[in-house]
Amino acid sequence: MARPLVYYAITIFIGCLTCLMLLNNPVLGAVLAASFLAIMYFTIDRKFLYIVICFFVMGIINYYSYFNINLPNEQELKVRISDKSTYYCTAKAGNKKIVLEGNIFELEQGRIVTLQGNFKKLAEYDRGVVGRYTVKNYKMANEDILSKIESFRKGLYKKFLGILGEEKAAIVMAVCFGDSAYIEKTQKEDFKKLGISHVISVSGLHMSVVYKALEMVIGYKIAILVSFVYMIFTGGKASTIRAFIMIFILKISSKVYKKYDSLSSLSLAAIILLIIRPFSILDMGFMLSFLCVFGIVAYNKKMKKVLYKLPAKINESFSLSLSSQIFSMPYAVVALKTFSLGFLFSNLLLLPFYTVVVVLGNIGLVCSAFHQIFNLINYGVFTVLTIIEAIQKVLGNLLPEMIYFSYIESLVVFGLYVCYVGIKKGYGQFKYVPFCIIFVIAFQNYKVFPEISYINANKNNTVLVQYRKTTIAVTTGNVNVNDIKVPVKIDRVFQGYKGDSVMKLTDKYSIRLISRGKKIEAQVCFSQKIIEQQNISVYNNEIEEILPYKDIVKLKNDETYVPSGTIINKYIIIGDKILKFTRGLEEIL
């Protein structure tokens, strides 16, 4: 079997995905497992089949063991604070990620803390969170090497801030060191519009630039060691770990006289990451990083041949940008439900300048203790960032606005793309796919299951309720239909909503809406008795009509930035379960 590591990487990925499905829907999980093993049984040699099964079982066990954990209550628990903002805090207990609540306001990112409180098992699969821990008391431990690195990074930001100003210092910290906490929401939106969001998180590109610069100065051995330290310093994200593993294998293979195979190297990196972090199957950074590199490996040379008439440098840039988007773009459209038409021009014009920023920023890191040299380097950084701002301003005015997709539309785009690739590869059966897509589009406005969405329009909360052929919007302010950017026909908008009311959807559950100033809290109320015929009706302050409730589920409205009029969170009620969609990924409540 050629390139067995590719099979093993795919197998362990499917194993993790199967376990996720089994935990939430045993029937679908069983179908996925049976289908995959059947395909392997009829397509690969028997001597490799047993190894594939071992990797498949490993993926299932590894994923299950990660989320199947109960931390002790009312006992001391030692954790490291991994992410801390004003209202949100996560920590790692061993390699398990938990969300901290309660007495958390004085905790510091990077520090080891001994906690005392209560743990509630509540998996959030897309973020790798195993549960929530309510902190009652805590005790800070002495600083170790990792917490000192975090303190150094904060001090480094203050040094850049004093010279470059707030916006430019934030960009340097994000572009060079992967710390995007200082980036404003409007800045992030500008990067998304230009299709260059990847530059504000340390990726394989950054690792490659840093390694090449180091190798030219200090040789490959020390460059590998320093690159490993840089990977730790920037937070050990999936993309940087993947890049480091591939660079390490590339250099080692040449020294032991072995031929380097980029696809096998990429697969080995995936296997290592999925063993360490099985929840990465739903991590966008993981998926985009591997899909980008896979596209480059598979199509970069072909792109160069197609664009052979272009000058060498332009050919290389275009080929790299296009090939990296072949697999990652369809995934990004489905996951993010957005698409930037100007991504190619933005990458072509801006990436060379951001590469210079990466190099200068890391030189500034090394020379941060020498005031005069640090100032001189920052003069260069300031100049380059000023040029970048000018180019971004021009592109922002020339390029069209981002295209926003609904979840169904993003799946349609992905389906058409798969159809195109299948037909190009000679599989005529794919010509029937568009008929299925037309059927999906025709019925996208018909909701078999009730959907409740939170939308932020004109700085006011709006709740969108969709069921069967009816769609209504309830808002605390003055919001028009045109202000709500969803691809469905809205039958009615209730403006200036105040009070506590109930919408009855079926005899099993109703939607309760409670106004809290400019915000609305939505709740799903599972009732115990049948009241009236199934339809969408509005009751004003007549809660007793559907009491008593068997269960009430509050639908959380995440405090996250999205463009005005677009969906923040979407909840779908299926039977007695509520699925939450956040950035295109779902989790079971």
Side-chain angles (χ1 to χ4, degrees), residues 522-539:
Q523 300 177 356
V524 179
C525 305
F526 293 91
S527 55
Q528 289 183 327
K529 59 182 180 179
I530 299 173
I531 310 165
E532 298 177 359
Q533 294 180 351
Q534 296 181 14
N535 58 6
I536 293 184
S537 309
V538 177
Y539 295 84

Side-chain angles (χ1 to χ4, degrees), residues 548-560:
Y549 299 130
K550 182 174 67 174
D551 196 10
I552 296 177
V553 179
K554 294 181 180 179
L555 305 184
K556 184 180 178 182
N557 185 9
D558 291 341
E559 295 292 335
T560 184

Side-chain angles (χ1 to χ4, degrees), residues 66-85:
Y66 180 87
F67 284 101
N68 187 37
I69 183 174
N70 277 304
L71 299 177
N73 291 322
E74 303 297 341
Q75 297 181 23
E76 290 188 347
L77 176 68
K78 184 175 286 188
V79 302
R80 183 185 298 278
I81 308 301
S82 55
D83 189 16
K84 175 69 170 62
S85 63

